Amino acid sequence: MSVTLGEFDTQIHEPMDDDTSEQAFAELQSRNLGGWGLAQIGFGTGLAIYAMWVGILQPGFRKVPLKLQVPYIPASKAQVDNVMTLLKGRNGGLVDLGSGDGRIVLEASRRGFSPAVGYELNPWLICLSRFHAWRADRHEKVSFRREDLWKVDLTECKNITVFLAPSVLSLLQQKLQDELPDDALVVAGRFPFPDWAPCRVEGCGVDRAWAYNMQAQRRRTLGERATSPQQKRRVGHLFEA
């Protein structure tokens, strides 16, 4: 059957009725896509993921050296619960370094920590955190700040939480040890501090969390640095105090 150009143009621009739409959809469902069709779907999906990365996750990484970049992985409910278990009995303020979407800060606020503050470089995650706080009606009780965690003054902080990569934790140890007061407690989720000995551990597998007492950690560090017998005896007295 031949079709003139005018008839073809009319067919293209003529809208499909409901029956035609349903028939076309059923045909699409039953059609074997084949390797090329699957490849196109895969490419389109990958492009969408890359667009989300560029628009949402990458902006906070541009100013951070490659080895210090931490991909955004939301904490699971079990991870949050384990962190809060280790903080049980503590009070005062709480600071979450690399706060992501803000779920640790929000849960800390629910459990009485005030002020509860999250520091995050990614502006999109800051917006998401503030939205979560608004939806939970806690936007006046929590704070999310776009600041570099290496420049944050921690001298007054007594409850610290971190969900960071081992490469970052190995460098963060020194900052925490230099700035935090002796009665501070640091809780790490997902990965432990590589050179510190935890005072408590909660959970198992990827949901595990580690708690570190700063006074005990300082004493341990002094003991490791002591070289002469006299120095070791002096450090030993600190452990006995």
Side-chain angles (χ1 to χ4, degrees):
M1 179 181 68
S2 62
V3 179
T4 66
L5 181 61
E7 292 173 335
F8 181 71
D9 183 69
T10 301
Q11 292 175 9
I12 290 178
H13 291 88
E14 182 180 353
M16 291 191 296
D17 56 25
D18 292 340
D19 292 339
T20 306
S21 300
E22 292 178 2
Q23 182 180 357
F25 183 69
E27 182 181 354
L28 182 62
Q29 284 184 311
S30 61
R31 183 180 300 170
N32 184 4
L33 293 175
W36 174 241
L38 292 174
Q40 291 182 80
I41 292 175
F43 176 77
T45 303
L47 188 61
I49 293 173
Y50 176 75
M52 182 180 70
W53 161 257
V54 171
I56 297 177
L57 300 179
Q58 193 184 40
F61 282 35
R62 290 173 183 154
K63 298 179 181 180
V64 181
L66 183 61
K67 69 176 182 178
L68 298 184
Q69 293 180 4
V70 182
Y72 165 54
I73 303 175
S76 68
K77 184 180 184 305
Q79 289 172 336
V80 174
D81 289 343
N82 289 335
V83 168
M84 293 301 140
T85 297
L86 292 173
L87 289 166
K88 190 174 182 179
R90 306 275 300 178
N91 52 40
L94 177 138
V95 168
D96 187 24
L97 299 176
S99 54
D101 62 5
R103 62 187 65 193
I104 293 287
V105 173
L106 283 175
E107 187 59 31
S109 176
R110 291 189 188 101
R111 303 199 184 201
F113 289 93
S114 180
V117 183
Y119 290 96
E120 172 63 52
L121 267 181
N122 191 306
W124 294 98
L125 291 177
I126 290 287
C127 291
L128 183 60
S129 300
R130 290 172 178 168
F131 170 73
H132 287 163
W134 172 81
R135 192 173 61 175
D137 196 24
R138 290 198 166 267
H139 53 286
E140 295 181 354
K141 299 179 181 179
V142 299
S143 176
F144 297 100
R145 303 173 186 174
R146 190 187 178 196
E147 293 186 37
D148 186 344
L149 66 86
W150 304 104
K151 298 177 182 179
V152 175
D153 182 5
L154 301 174
T155 53
E156 300 296 325
C157 301
K158 295 187 178 181
N159 300 293
I160 305 288
T161 57
V162 292
F163 274 75
L164 298 171
S167 59
V168 181
L169 294 175
S170 63
L171 299 176
L172 186 60
Q173 292 174 151
Q174 191 60 52
K175 175 178 174 63
L176 297 178
Q177 196 159 304
D178 289 344
E179 297 183 18
L180 291 180
D182 279 346
D183 57 347
L185 186 76
V186 180
V187 178
R190 197 174 288 127
F191 296 106
F193 283 90
D195 303 319
W196 286 6
C199 59
R200 287 180 61 199
V201 179
E202 188 72 25
C204 59
V206 295
D207 295 325
R208 187 174 299 173
W210 297 260
Y212 304 88
N213 177 284
M214 284 312 303
Q215 186 175 41
Q217 184 55 47
R218 284 196 177 95
R219 289 175 174 177
R220 188 173 292 106
T221 300
L222 286 173
E224 292 171 353
R225 291 176 180 174
T227 55
S228 67
Q230 293 83 359
Q231 288 177 318
K232 291 180 179 179
R233 281 196 295 271
R234 283 197 294 270
V235 172
H237 290 314
L238 289 175
F239 279 94
E240 294 170 2

